[in-house]
């Protein structure tokens, strides 16, 4: 079967990623040798996921939903708070003091945010935007995730900063990821 960029719509893609994020938090909390790898995989998924939402999904929702500006302002405020927590968690790392506590705080913030998106923003987008546009938005989301930063950057928190920073920080983060992987993180 051939790869299709428009096979799944944006809501499907992001909802599946929310499930991966929930599992990622669980794995990153488990003690043992796999914790470090699970932590870095979670941080990467969270970073590329939020970058795509901020660059493509929230701007569309802001434009097409009746309560779009208010809904997206709330989601962006939640994302900003989550990024603060994730940035602090990244500094602490999976071996640092207070890691499990910080991971729990980040988990609660991120999963509450995801639940609100799934309850408020995503169903409204399905009603307001046609299936073809949602599939194209899904392709935009997946393509933007290919070059999105793989770490949370607190000051990248909207459409413009995501689109400007991704071509620079995405490759830099990936180089850093490769370097750390060679060193064994």
């Amino acid at each position: 079967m051939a790869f299709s960029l428009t096979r799944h719509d944006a809501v499907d893609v992001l909802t599946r990623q929310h499930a991966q994020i929930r599992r990622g938090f669980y794995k990153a909390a488990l003690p043992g040798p796999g914790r470090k790898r699970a932590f870095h995989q979670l941080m990467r998924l969270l970073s590329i996921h939020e970058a795509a939402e901020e660059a493509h999904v929230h701007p569309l929702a802001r434009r097409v939903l009746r309560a779009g500006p208010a809904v997206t302002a709330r989601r962006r405020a939640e994302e900003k708070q989550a990024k603060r927590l994730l940035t602090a968690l990244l500094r602490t790392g999976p071996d640092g003091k207070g890691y499990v506590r910080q991971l729990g705080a980040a988990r609660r913030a991120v999963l509450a945010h995801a639940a609100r998106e799934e309850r408020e923003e995503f169903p409204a987008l399905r009603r307001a935007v046609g299936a073809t546009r949602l599939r194209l938005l899904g392709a935009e989301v997946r393509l933007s995730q290919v070059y999105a930063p793989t770490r949370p950057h607190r000051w990248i928190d909207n459409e413009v900063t995501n689109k400007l920073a991704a071509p620079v920080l995405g490759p830099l983060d990936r180089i850093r990821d490769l370097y750390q992987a060679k060193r064994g993180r």
Side-chain angles (χ1 to χ4, degrees):
M1 179 167 50
F3 176 73
S4 171
L5 282 176
T6 59
R7 184 178 192 153
H8 300 286
D9 72 31
V11 172
D12 293 336
V13 170
L14 297 171
T15 302
R16 262 197 313 280
Q17 287 179 351
H18 286 169
Q20 291 174 315
I21 288 166
R22 279 189 286 281
R23 286 190 303 273
F25 272 112
Y26 171 76
K27 290 177 183 178
L30 294 174
R35 176 185 274 184
K36 192 175 282 191
R37 179 182 165 100
F39 169 74
H40 289 291
Q41 288 174 336
L42 174 64
M43 295 304 278
R44 178 186 180 93
L45 177 57
L46 285 165
S47 296
I48 67 170
H49 176 85
E50 287 307 321
E53 283 184 344
E54 291 169 357
H56 301 285
V57 178
H58 299 324
L60 177 64
R62 187 177 58 247
R63 288 190 306 271
V64 302
L65 301 181
R66 174 175 284 162
V71 169
T72 57
R74 288 191 301 271
R75 294 303 77 82
R76 287 186 53 215
E78 294 163 4
E79 288 167 353
K80 198 171 195 172
Q81 171 62 22
K83 275 190 185 179
R84 273 195 294 275
L85 294 169
L86 292 170
T87 302
L89 181 62
L90 185 60
R91 278 193 305 271
T92 298
D95 298 323
K97 185 177 179 178
Y99 168 75
V100 173
R101 180 185 48 76
Q102 284 183 305
L103 182 70
R107 179 186 154 282
R108 286 186 296 278
V110 167
L111 296 185
H113 165 72
R116 287 184 196 103
E117 284 178 334
E118 290 178 13
R119 190 175 54 247
E120 297 172 18
E121 189 173 13
F122 294 170
L125 273 174
R126 281 206 191 278
R127 288 188 301 272
V129 180
T132 301
R133 179 63 184 111
L134 279 179
R135 281 194 306 277
L136 289 172
L137 183 63
E140 290 174 29
V141 163
R142 286 195 305 282
L143 284 172
S144 71
Q145 289 179 341
V146 169
Y147 60 85
T150 61
R151 291 174 166 68
H153 298 277
R154 286 188 316 148
W155 56 273
I156 302 174
D157 63 357
N158 62 46
E159 178 181 12
V160 173
T161 56
N162 268 285
K163 288 180 177 179
L164 290 174
V168 175
L169 290 178
L172 289 175
D173 281 355
R174 282 168 173 73
I175 290 168
R176 189 173 174 193
D177 293 344
L178 288 171
Y179 175 74
Q180 287 182 338
K182 285 186 185 240
R183 284 187 32 224
R185 284 196 201 225

